[in-house]
Amino acid sequence: MIKQVLIGVLCGAAVLTAGILIGHFGITMSSAPSWVKDVAKDVDESLIEKFLSEVDNIQIQENLRELTKVPHMATTAGDEQTVQLMLKRWQDPETGLDQAWREEFMVYLSFPDPKKPNKVTVVSPSDEVLYTAREKEKTYTSDQDDPEVVQPYAAYSPAGHPKGKLVYANQGKPSDYQLLNNTVDLRGTIAITRYGGAGRGAKAINAAPYGVIGVLVYTDPLDINDGLMSDINETYPHSWYMPPSGVERGSFNGQFGDMLTPYLAAKEETYRIPAENITGIPPIPIQPIGFEDAYRLICELGGKAAPAQWQGAFNCTYNFGGPGFQNPSAFNNSDVKLDIFNYEEKKNSSNVMGVIKGSVEPDRYVIYGNHRDSWVHGAIDPSSGTSVMLELTRVLGKMVKQGKWRPRRSIIFGSWGAEEFGLIGSAEYTEQYFTKLSERTVAYINVDIAVFANATLRASGMPSLQKIIFKAAKQVDAPGLDSTSVYDNWIQYSNRTSQANGLIPNVGYLSGAGSDYAAFVHYLGITSMDISYTYDRSKTNARIYPAYHTAYDTFDYASKFIDPGFVSHQAIARTAGNVLIRLADSLLVPLNCSDYAETLEDYLNTAVTLYQHQLQERNISMEPLKRAVASFRSAATHLDQVIRSSDLANETPLTVRRINDQLMLLDRAFLDPLAFPDKYAYRHVIWASSSAGKPTFPGLADAFANAESQSSAWDKVHYHLSVLSQAIEGAAHTLGDVI
């Protein structure tokens, strides 16, 4: 009897359990929570097609027209107008973002005194003024007559009134001053230099140890205008070339971010170092001038002829200077005098921020940025990028407002302030949100100058982004070319052969601090890219578009000579937006670590060729570095195989998240805060800046170059080999299976 009761109870329990399980799975299958589908959803290709079709070149044109109505140098009234424009667009109820706001920083800036304009004169021994350089660029359109056009000046040049004999110092590199000093006594002289070869401020920093007391800098027509000089029929307003009075303004400091608050966000109550402790700025007055004034000065110089490689476009011999002018000359025995009245001031500068919140992973960020401030009207730099960003946010914002789309991850848009003074807005942002950005940012996309010219795409970034840039470029039509993609056009202009991928477009590296990607790459170790349309380098030797940082960078200039019809702007908006959507919406973050491995192998091969023999002579082994790169390749290959063999849509969300975090955090593994003590905020051992000019690991290359001239510096070479080896080995471990 008891046995029968037990059997009955067990059978009843079994039936009940089966019923519960059947009911549970029946309910699960028929009414799974909505998040299950959302978590497994991948990027929608039809949405990308819709985005591409809705990006409008005329909207971009009108954005640029609006942005360039007035000059908008950082912290001026014109800058505030652009702040309000960004907020209005990003807060629009129909096409705006989820949220938009401004963030202010109290930053250290440098300005000329409008009541006492800077002057460059030639004065006789009795102080009679024989010649005065232009204080204002020549007027061709009403834009140059705007009262808010700032006089050409060198930001962060000290004030002063040096007077001395003139000498010509080529590009102001250390080697230029050394050669010049072998010929001329430089003590008490004024040096005239041309842009290029060395950083702006470095032209003065390099000069001071030789006793030079002031520096002039100009843009030689050979370097910017393919030698053309006449505004009667050759330069703007007849072509894109810089007119004779054009002057490139710029920041002459050597580090990025606010200089009074290193490694701290520049808030009002933040600790500030004394101004006299700032490094990397000119120790002597320096002033930019136009090439029409440089022509008058250089062609009157006496002394020996400068080397052939120092000669420029002027129809005279570029001499070193006696020092001073030749005899006979209209300026014989005269001095050049600089009267510089620059002053420094702490002012509030604004970033404008906007966000589209992610639906599945709102704590993962894809950041898209462009600076807003300009030196004058800034049609190309930076407003070409701002006009593109406004169109991109209009299209995406409309999709969000209409409920047609919301990205998997959050998208943050940054309109950075005070970039022209040293990448200040973006750097302060990374300092304020250091921890959050370090832990949560997938990638940063920078579009500063969207269009230099209208020939071909140019892209730079971490190697892991290469394939997604290619994919996006293949989906966008090349401007003005039937049945040709941006990718197919690009590969014709710039290409390389990859061992794994064959012939591909050449993607550059972000190894310097040329734009707002700098703090994201070097300080935070965030995977980043910079993208633009540019010119055919086989047809011009211009080092940049010729109106760069002048009063001629206007809507008139951009619409006539840079991108008539704004179709290259449209192509950049489509390409950058395509990359943005894929980074924000793909189930698997589309970063490829095997492409990174190939770059490390290329860098290693170059290093072995250049350095191994001499290192072996000093009993310094490169084997640890070779093993580390091989380990990275093995780990990258393994992770690729894991990804290929996984059905990620049916994996648990945590599995996908783990792989995505491995990809997202890869570049953080290359950070070493102690590797470059003399380079402010440079921590990425693969992409730090280098003065050695070798396509290999920057710290190793610089250390080796120093050791060749200082035999005591070989320990530093060994140190950088160890830093590299351990960083790469550490990065390899982050790609391996989790333990």
Side-chain angles (χ1 to χ4, degrees):
M1 182 69 179
I2 294 174
K3 183 177 180 183
Q4 289 175 332
V5 170
L6 286 172
I7 291 172
V9 169
L10 289 172
C11 289
V15 170
L16 178 62
T17 302
I20 291 171
L21 290 172
I22 291 169
H24 171 74
F25 284 104
I27 291 169
T28 302
M29 297 302 292
S30 62
S31 58
S34 60
W35 61 261
V36 173
K37 291 177 87 173
D38 291 340
V39 163
K41 190 170 63 175
D42 208 345
V43 66
D44 184 348
E45 293 292 340
S46 65
L47 181 129
I48 289 179
E49 290 296 328
K50 179 175 174 59
F51 166 80
L52 296 177
S53 69
E54 292 193 7
V55 171
D56 189 342
N57 59 308
I58 302 303
Q59 290 277 359
I60 296 172
Q61 172 185 287
E62 295 312 306
N63 289 342
L64 190 68
R65 194 190 305 274
E66 183 70 24
L67 287 161
T68 56
K69 282 183 176 178
V70 296
H72 46 284
M73 187 169 67
T75 74
T76 64
D79 185 29
E80 179 60 24
Q81 282 186 227
T82 63
V83 168
Q84 295 302 323
L85 174 64
M86 301 303 295
L87 287 171
K88 180 181 177 182
R89 296 289 185 89
W90 286 356
Q91 292 173 348
D92 187 279
E94 295 183 355
T95 59
L97 308 176
D98 289 332
Q99 286 179 276
W101 64 96
R102 71 191 295 164
E103 296 188 353
E104 291 193 345
F105 299 93
M106 182 72 76
V107 301
Y108 184 70
L109 304 182
S110 166
F111 301 100
D113 188 337
K115 296 178 182 177
K116 292 186 288 185
N118 295 343
K119 291 182 182 293
V120 176
T121 54
V122 177
V123 295
S124 70
S126 61
D127 273 347
E128 177 188 0
V129 175
L130 304 179
Y131 182 80
T132 302
R134 273 186 181 270
E135 296 174 14
K136 179 181 181 296
E137 289 148 301
K138 184 177 177 179
T139 294
Y140 297 106
T141 71
S142 60
D143 292 313
Q144 288 83 53
D145 284 332
D146 191 302
E148 294 303 311
V149 171
V150 68
Q151 179 202 4
Y153 77 111
Y156 301 108
S157 165
H161 308 276
K163 182 174 73 171
K165 302 300 182 192
L166 188 68
V167 294
Y168 170 56
N170 191 31
Q171 295 178 323
K173 303 187 297 292
S175 59
D176 293 334
Y177 285 112
Q178 185 176 6
L179 177 62
L180 183 59
N181 192 56
N182 291 338
T183 306
V184 179
D185 183 356
L186 294 179
R187 290 173 295 178
T189 61
I190 305 291
I192 184 168
T193 63
R194 58 207 262 191
Y195 276 118
R200 297 186 187 102
K203 298 176 189 298
I205 293 170
N206 297 337
Y210 292 96
V212 175
I213 58 174
V215 177
L216 297 173
V217 59
Y218 78 100
T219 305
D220 198 279
L222 187 67
D223 303 323
I224 202 77
N225 278 6
D226 298 313
L228 300 179
M229 295 174 55
S230 173
D231 64 352
I232 297 173
N233 59 359
E234 293 178 333
T235 68
Y236 184 78
H238 309 286
S239 75
W240 82 323
Y241 289 120
M242 177 191 283
S245 67
V247 182
E248 179 184 321
R249 298 148 179 81
S251 179
F252 283 63
N253 58 330
Q255 68 184 46
F256 54 87
D258 178 66
M259 291 187 290
L260 291 181
T261 58
Y263 299 111
L264 295 169
K267 293 299 185 178
E268 189 168 355
E269 296 180 353
T270 301
Y271 166 76
R272 286 170 167 79
I273 65 172
E276 57 268 24
N277 290 358
I278 292 174
T279 59
I281 58 175
I284 55 177
I286 181 169
Q287 174 70 16
I289 60 175
F291 68 72
E292 67 175 3
D293 291 315
Y295 175 85
R296 285 297 311 273
L297 299 175
I298 287 175
C299 289
E300 297 284 354
L301 279 175
K304 295 181 180 179
Q309 59 268 32
W310 287 29
Q311 301 298 314
F314 301 153
N315 59 352
C316 65
T317 299
Y318 291 44
N319 294 327
F320 286 133
F325 299 107
Q326 58 191 342
N327 185 13
S329 162
F331 301 152
N332 181 39
N333 205 31
S334 298
D335 291 328
V336 169
K337 185 181 182 186
L338 278 61
D339 290 298
I340 308 302
F341 299 96
N342 295 351
Y343 67 96
E344 292 74 44
E345 183 178 4
K346 294 192 291 292
K347 297 191 72 176
N348 272 322
S349 175
S350 297
N351 291 340
V352 181
M353 308 303 300
V355 65
I356 299 175
K357 295 178 182 176
S359 59
V360 178
E361 300 179 83
D363 64 331
R364 291 293 179 261
Y365 312 146
V366 179
I367 306 176
Y368 183 110
N370 156 253
H371 75 94
R372 188 187 61 258
D373 65 300
S374 62
W375 284 113
V376 193
H377 292 84
I380 300 304
D381 182 12
S383 299
S384 63
T386 309
S387 62
V388 162
M389 182 164 65
L390 283 172
E391 175 60 3
L392 195 153
T393 55
R394 180 191 71 85
V395 176
L396 295 181
K398 183 179 177 182
M399 291 179 179
V400 170
K401 295 295 186 183
Q402 292 178 346
K404 296 179 178 178
W405 174 72
R406 182 165 292 281
R408 179 185 187 89
R409 304 175 186 93
S410 294
I411 301 174
I412 298 173
F413 293 97
S415 174
W416 313 121
E419 185 269 0
E420 295 293 5
F421 288 86
L423 317 181
I424 292 177
S426 56
E428 299 312 300
Y429 176 74
T430 62
E431 288 170 345
Q432 180 167 9
Y433 300 106
F434 176 87
T435 303
K436 182 169 75 170
L437 296 176
S438 295
E439 293 181 355
R440 300 178 182 176
T441 306
V442 173
Y444 174 69
I445 300 172
N446 193 68
V447 183
D448 180 345
I449 298 174
V451 179
F452 290 84
N454 56 8
T456 181
L457 189 73
R458 181 176 75 177
S460 300
M462 271 67 160
S464 52
L465 281 163
Q466 177 178 274
K467 281 188 170 62
I468 188 179
I469 298 172
F470 292 165
K471 188 167 188 174
K474 288 175 181 178
Q475 289 185 288
V476 178
D477 294 333
L481 298 174
D482 294 333
S483 304
T484 302
S485 70
V486 165
Y487 178 91
D488 291 334
N489 183 57
W490 180 18
I491 203 171
Q492 294 177 36
Y493 283 93
S494 177
N495 58 65
R496 69 179 183 89
T497 300
S498 159
Q499 187 173 353
N501 304 304
L503 188 70
I504 55 175
N506 188 50
V507 176
Y509 301 136
L510 299 177
S511 55
S515 188
D516 287 300
Y517 53 77
F520 292 93
V521 172
H522 303 302
Y523 187 48
L524 295 184
I526 289 170
T527 304
S528 302
M529 60 175 278
D530 183 84
I531 191 170
S532 61
Y533 234 73
T534 191
Y535 42 87
D536 181 351
R537 292 188 176 273
S538 70
K539 294 182 178 179
T540 178
N541 290 318
R543 64 181 178 85
I544 197 168
Y545 73 96
Y548 175 67
H549 287 190
T550 73
Y552 306 111
D553 187 359
T554 61
F555 182 84
D556 178 75
Y557 179 82
S559 60
K560 287 180 180 177
F561 302 115
I562 298 296
D563 188 22
F566 290 82
V567 289
S568 295
H569 285 75
Q570 184 182 42
I572 285 297
R574 286 171 168 169
T575 306
N578 192 334
V579 173
L580 174 64
I581 293 170
R582 292 183 183 283
L583 285 168
D585 228 10
S586 296
L587 176 62
L588 180 76
V589 171
L591 301 176
N592 187 285
C593 47
S594 287
D595 286 338
Y596 219 128
E598 184 172 312
T599 296
L600 296 180
E601 289 164 347
D602 289 343
Y603 269 27
L604 174 65
N605 291 337
T606 301
V608 168
T609 301
L610 293 174
Y611 310 137
Q612 181 167 262
H613 178 69
Q614 290 192 57
L615 292 178
Q616 285 176 335
E617 291 179 345
R618 290 165 176 82
N619 294 318
I620 301 173
S621 174
M622 295 190 74
E623 292 307 310
L625 181 58
K626 294 177 183 178
R627 289 195 298 269
V629 172
S631 177
F632 187 94
R633 165 60 79 179
S634 177
T637 301
H638 174 70
L639 183 58
D640 280 351
Q641 290 170 346
V642 168
I643 292 169
R644 280 196 301 269
S645 63
S646 299
D647 181 8
L648 294 177
N650 292 308
E651 287 282 0
T652 66
L654 288 178
T655 299
V656 179
R657 177 87 161 196
R658 173 177 59 78
I659 294 173
N660 281 340
D661 282 355
Q662 287 177 288
L663 295 167
M664 177 183 78
L665 296 172
L666 173 58
D667 272 290
R668 313 294 198 276
F670 294 115
L671 296 181
D672 186 330
L674 303 178
F676 308 106
D678 299 327
K679 294 180 179 180
Y680 175 78
Y682 281 89
R683 308 194 305 157
H684 201 301
V685 301
I686 309 300
W687 306 123
S689 64
S690 170
S691 58
K694 305 297 183 184
T696 188
F697 306 108
L700 178 61
D702 285 351
F704 189 91
N706 291 335
E708 285 187 303
S709 58
Q710 303 175 37
S711 58
S712 61
W714 287 102
D715 281 351
K716 204 68 175 176
V717 179
H718 194 174
Y719 169 74
H720 274 284
L721 269 172
S722 297
V723 165
L724 270 173
S725 302
Q726 295 186 21
I728 295 171
E729 190 72 53
H733 284 299
T734 70
L735 299 179
D737 293 332
V738 176
I739 58 171

